[in-house]
Amino acid sequence: MKSSPSQRITPWVGRLIIANAVVLLLRMTLFTSPELLQALQFSPDNALIRPWTFVSYMFVHAGLLHLLANMLMLYVFGTAVESRMGSRNFITFYLFCGIGAAVFSLLLAGVMPVGGFVGASGAVLGVAVAFAYFWPDAELIVFPIPVPIKARTLVIGLVVLDVIASRL
């Protein structure tokens, strides 16, 4: 019997959503300094002198809409992936994807300009790829398009959009 994706919130997905929301709340209310944002964002130019940014950038978002988009994707894809992988493997995979996205941008900076960035997009995109790997034929509805899209097609589209958006 093939297991199906779960929509019940899982331990690490819940913790990650809360952690990201708390960081945004603190950044918008108590810690509003632009210098703090620069110290936490990942920038290929400063990565080796600020090694904590390989992780910290994943928990800092540019605003509420940025946070909501990332956390919605984390909830949709992450609950099923965490259920399938187990919590310990999931959080390891999530952090590996986020750090991997930073390393990739560091390598990419050797051939093209890459500015500083924040957000969980790299980690969440990795989780979406895992979802498409586990359930390639799962049909998803993307609002406002009322047509089902297979998970593998949607994730390929998300990867393409992410590459295009990162070049703008």
Side-chain angles (χ1 to χ4, degrees), residues 137-149:
D137 295 321
E139 292 188 340
L140 305 166
I141 302 290
V142 179
F143 182 81
I145 305 166
V147 179
I149 300 172

Side-chain angles (χ1 to χ4, degrees), residues 70-92:
N70 274 314
M71 296 304 101
L72 177 61
M73 280 187 53
L74 177 61
Y75 173 74
V76 168
F77 297 117
T79 52
V81 173
E82 183 176 353
S83 293
R84 174 82 180 252
M85 293 178 114
S87 293
R88 179 177 291 172
N89 288 337
F90 173 80
I91 191 61
T92 301

Side-chain angles (χ1 to χ4, degrees), residues 97-139:
C97 290
I99 293 168
V103 169
F104 180 73
S105 72
L106 186 61
L107 297 172
L108 193 60
V111 295
M112 63 182 285
V114 177
F117 56 90
V118 294
S121 299
V124 171
L125 190 57
V127 171
V129 169
F131 182 95
Y133 175 79
F134 291 136
W135 300 282
D137 295 321
E139 292 188 340

Side-chain angles (χ1 to χ4, degrees), residues 40-44 53 57-58 60 98 101-102 105-106 114-119:
L40 296 175
Q41 76 177 359
F42 184 82
S43 172
T53 64
Y57 88 95
M58 289 185 265
V60 180
S105 72
L106 186 61
V114 177
F117 56 90
V118 294

